[in-house]
Amino acid sequence: IKDACEHVCGLVNKRNGKKITYKDVFEVLKKRSGDFDHMLTLNPEAKKLLQKLKKKGYKLGMATDRGASSLRLLKVFGIDEYFDVVVHAFMVENRKPHPEPILELVKKMGIKAENCVYVGNEEKDHMSAIAAGVIPIILEKDYSIFSHVPTYYVENLKKVADIIDRINKKNH
């Protein structure tokens, strides 16, 4: 983020002869990060899955590339109560596919990476999960370049709870 902000600063400073810093740009980006939130929808199966997993006693966390607006979205969607920990983009230096967001999440949750499952829907989620040493469950896509890594692929969120239960039984 810092590199992108410094690039914008350089362009603005060169064009307008002003002296703004990356921190100035970063603050604007933080304030504007929710401008498109009204266009987002929650997967209809997501709340049911979160309820089911929470009822079974699983710790739940989220690592997202969205900024602090992600906390507001969780409330808007009515799912904030299910998450024990949330790590958003402004809490880490590196975004996915770097493992840092997931590693920070695992650390804050107080669990070992190998005992953690990460559910994602993008290639960067898969790459980040693998690099962090957690078990990836990927929705809808098959990133076959990682075929050597145990990965669960699901067509919809309905199957996720059963997979997590199977992994939990195998590890205990």
Side-chain angles (χ1 to χ4, degrees):
I1 294 175
K2 182 178 179 184
D3 291 341
C5 290
E6 286 177 344
H7 177 71
V8 170
C9 290
L11 295 173
V12 170
N13 291 340
K14 186 176 181 180
R15 182 177 295 157
N16 298 331
K18 294 184 178 183
K19 183 67 176 153
I20 62 170
T21 67
Y22 83 91
K23 288 182 181 181
D24 299 324
V25 175
F26 187 72
E27 287 304 314
V28 169
L29 290 175
K30 278 180 22 179
K31 290 176 186 168
R32 304 247 356 193
S33 65
D35 284 356
F36 302 100
D37 290 352
H38 67 281
M39 299 172 72
L40 300 175
T41 58
L42 181 67
N43 181 318
E45 299 167 6
K47 190 169 187 175
K48 292 176 190 171
L49 173 63
L50 294 169
Q51 290 170 331
K52 188 175 194 177
L53 294 174
K54 201 64 174 172
K55 188 175 182 180
K56 290 182 177 200
Y58 290 110
K59 283 185 175 182
L60 302 178
M62 181 174 79
T64 177
D65 278 345
R66 290 186 61 84
S69 66
S70 58
L71 302 174
R72 186 182 68 253
L73 280 177
L74 293 177
K75 286 183 181 177
V76 168
F77 290 139
I79 58 173
D80 57 314
E81 66 188 271
Y82 301 109
F83 292 97
D84 300 296
V85 178
V86 175
V87 173
H88 59 72
F90 299 145
M91 297 170 73
V92 292
E93 191 170 317
N94 299 291
R95 290 182 176 208
K96 296 179 277 181
H98 196 280
E100 184 185 5
I102 295 177
L103 291 173
E104 182 66 17
L105 179 65
V106 169
K107 180 177 140 188
K108 287 182 178 288
M109 292 182 78
I111 56 177
K112 294 180 181 178
E114 60 267 17
N115 295 330
C116 182
V117 170
Y118 188 81
V119 180
N121 66 338
E122 295 185 49
E123 184 175 15
K124 66 181 178 179
D125 296 320
H126 194 196
M127 294 169 67
S128 186
I130 290 167
V134 302
I135 301 166
I137 298 177
I138 304 300
L139 182 63
E140 297 181 9
K141 305 268 194 278
D142 178 4
Y143 302 113
S144 57
I145 59 169
F146 298 109
S147 59
H148 64 286
V149 177
T151 300
Y152 298 87
Y153 298 99
V154 295
E155 295 171 3
N156 58 59
L157 291 175
K158 292 177 184 174
K159 299 177 182 180
V160 172
D162 293 334
I163 292 170
I164 292 173
D165 286 341
R166 283 200 316 264
I167 292 168
N168 191 34
K169 285 178 187 172
K170 190 179 355 175
N171 290 342
H172 289 97

